[in-house]
Amino acid sequence: MIKIINVSKWFGTHRVLNNINEEIHQGQVVVICGPSGSGKSTLLKSLNGLEPFQEGDIVVDGVSLKDPSTNLMQLRQKMGMVFQRFELYPHLKVIDNITIAPIKVKNIPKKQAEEKAVQLLERVGIPEQAQKYPGNLSGGQQQRVAIARALAMEPEIMLFDEPTSALDPEMIKEVLDVMIDLAKSGMTMAVVTHEMGFAREVADEIIFMDEGQIIERGTDKSFFSDPKTERAKDFLSKILI
Amino acid sequence: MGAFDWTVIIKNMPFFMKGLLTTFELALVAISGGLFFGMLVGMARLSHIKLIYYPATIFVNFFRSLPLLLVIFWFYFLVPIIAGRPLGDFVSASVAFVVFEAAYFAEIVRAGIQSISKGQEQAAYSTGFTYAQTMRYIILPQAMRNMVPSLITQTVVVFQDTSLAYVIGLKEFLRSASIVDAREMKSLEIYAFIGLVYFIFCFVMSRFSKKLEAKRGAAK
Ligand SMILES: Nc1ncnc2c1ncn2[C@@H]1O[C@H](COP(=O)(O)OP(=O)(O)O)[C@@H](O)[C@H]1O
Ligand SMILES: [Mg+2]
């Protein structure tokens, strides 16, 4: 479904992605972890063309991101994205946060979009918050709205960039539960996270990045029980208390 | 106060009001036109495309380094040449003000857009929005809120600056005063009145701006 082929990216002279190769198949959940600054966000954002890359190619459903004639707007409709800092639109009510893209991008009638939004809010467990502004919600609630907003476009793939790392500990579970549900429903997912409980439960593959490279990959079991590189061992010992 | 004759103000009130109306009209055109083009230029100033960025940047820096009076004169002579016929002092002044103010509004808009985090833009793009949709539905509505105090300040400045159109003979508020003064010879009274009106308008606007800012501060 997603093929990352020899992708490299530089910010100026700083190489932030170094020959990345990876395949994500339909229905798979891939967890990406690694120290801060290792290029995880950059990799995720290059998947939907938010970050351009200089070398290699990324192919989503047969569509090449390198090809200048590719319509990024169309491609992004297939890929929902959830951000570390939620990035809800503060000037719009929760319901409008969810419906604005379906209405403006897909030309879905307002009423129909709102019905769908209410269903999605039920799915993420906060139907009663529809008429509030994001600023009046807790972090966990905001992140669940953000997931609903992404799902409203009916994506085939969901990208998560550290969705729980800006949350207070007591709110992490409510967001992870929604993500686990989503994974179990067969959604294809690429998730940057250090929540190893989540990885154990739903990840089909875990990749470990350091300095712009994937230096280790494995299933959840092999990765946790038998990391091969020193960096991964070191990293795991820090996050698995 | 015996030496002052305030009846001259009352007597000429309809004439003053006509001048004031012209001032308001010119200010309205300058602000709405300046804001509209300023928005386009402000967005262009943030473009990664050189062919868009450079002309916009040159435009802004050019007009921001010229005195308004010069620009007013300039368009007074230029507009009839471009149009091929005289269009009157109001149209010339309007064009001059819109172009000049667009350069200032552009900088306000640019700062307003830059005050919104990059994440908002990325969130919008990630749902399939185009650049125009991202600006219209997500970035500009938020940026406008942040811009309100600067926009009001600029509105006050524009209102005061419209008096410069006096030099090309436009019968705005200040010009109406000088016309009355030439006839009545009551400079002190007339200019005191004119000054008071400018002051009241500007004072009210700046109070309004402070109130809005306090309200925004409280909402945060
Ligand atoms: N817009 C940018 N300009 C320059 N350097 C950047 C930019 N964004 C990220 N970087 C750099 O790229 C590297 C990878 O960043 P990022 O992908 O955010 O890492 P991670 O998500 O793994 O913490 C970091 O060294 C970071 O400083
Ligand atoms: Mg990151």
Side-chain angles (χ1 to χ4, degrees), chain A residues 37 40-42 84 161-162 192:
Chain A
K40 307 179 298 294
S41 298
T42 307
Q84 181 172 359
D161 191 1
E162 304 205 35
V192 175

Side-chain angles (χ1 to χ4, degrees), chain B residues 6-180:
Chain B
W6 297 103
T7 58
V8 64
I9 307 295
I10 314 290
K11 201 170 67 188
N12 290 290
M13 195 53 98
F15 190 72
F16 286 134
M17 287 302 115
K18 227 176 125 211
L20 188 59
L21 185 66
T22 304
T23 286
F24 274 119
E25 280 168 354
L26 182 57
L28 194 70
V29 171
I31 290 158
S32 47
L35 187 56
F36 176 78
F37 289 106
M39 232 180 241
L40 297 181
V41 177
M43 286 189 276
R45 288 266 286 135
L46 293 169
S47 176
H48 298 293
I49 303 166
K50 287 196 171 88
L51 222 62
I52 296 176
Y53 169 81
Y54 279 112
T57 303
I58 290 168
F59 171 83
V60 166
N61 290 333
F62 181 67
F63 279 100
R64 278 164 57 97
S65 45
L66 292 179
L68 176 54
L69 199 56
L70 174 73
V71 176
I72 293 169
F73 264 129
W74 209 25
F75 278 91
Y76 181 65
F77 297 114
L78 199 64
V79 167
I81 293 171
I82 293 171
R85 65 195 169 90
L87 288 175
D89 39 23
F90 187 81
V91 174
S92 304
S94 296
V95 173
F97 270 94
V98 167
V99 170
F100 187 81
E101 295 305 334
Y104 283 83
F105 280 118
E107 288 301 89
I108 295 176
V109 171
R110 183 180 60 82
I113 292 173
Q114 282 178 321
S115 73
I116 307 303
S117 85
K118 199 107 181 98
Q120 288 284 302
E121 195 182 297
Q122 294 187 338
Y125 284 140
S126 78
T127 59
F129 273 156
T130 61
Y131 170 80
Q133 288 171 326
T134 301
M135 280 295 153
R136 171 153 176 224
Y137 300 115
I138 307 303
I139 307 300
L140 286 178
Q142 295 183 60
M144 284 299 259
R145 285 190 193 184
N146 294 352
M147 284 188 263
V148 165
S150 320
L151 289 178
I152 292 179
T153 305
Q154 191 63 19
T155 299
V156 169
V157 170
V158 172
F159 180 75
Q160 294 168 343
D161 282 354
T162 53
S163 61
L164 291 175
Y166 156 97
V167 297
I168 57 167
L170 183 69
K171 289 200 189 66
E172 43 69 60
F173 197 41
L174 187 64
R175 176 100 186 157
S176 71
S178 78
I179 291 170
V180 172

Side-chain angles (χ1 to χ4, degrees), chain A residues 10 30-31 52-53 55 60 89 99 108 152-153 173 184 197 204 211 221 223 229 237-238:
Chain A
W10 288 259
V30 174
V31 163
F53 46 87
E55 272 180 20
V60 180
Y89 311 132
T99 59
I108 289 174
M153 290 298 284
K173 187 173 177 300
K184 288 184 173 165
D204 297 294
E211 294 180 347
K221 282 173 201 73
F223 182 70
T229 57
S237 71
K238 273 182 202 140

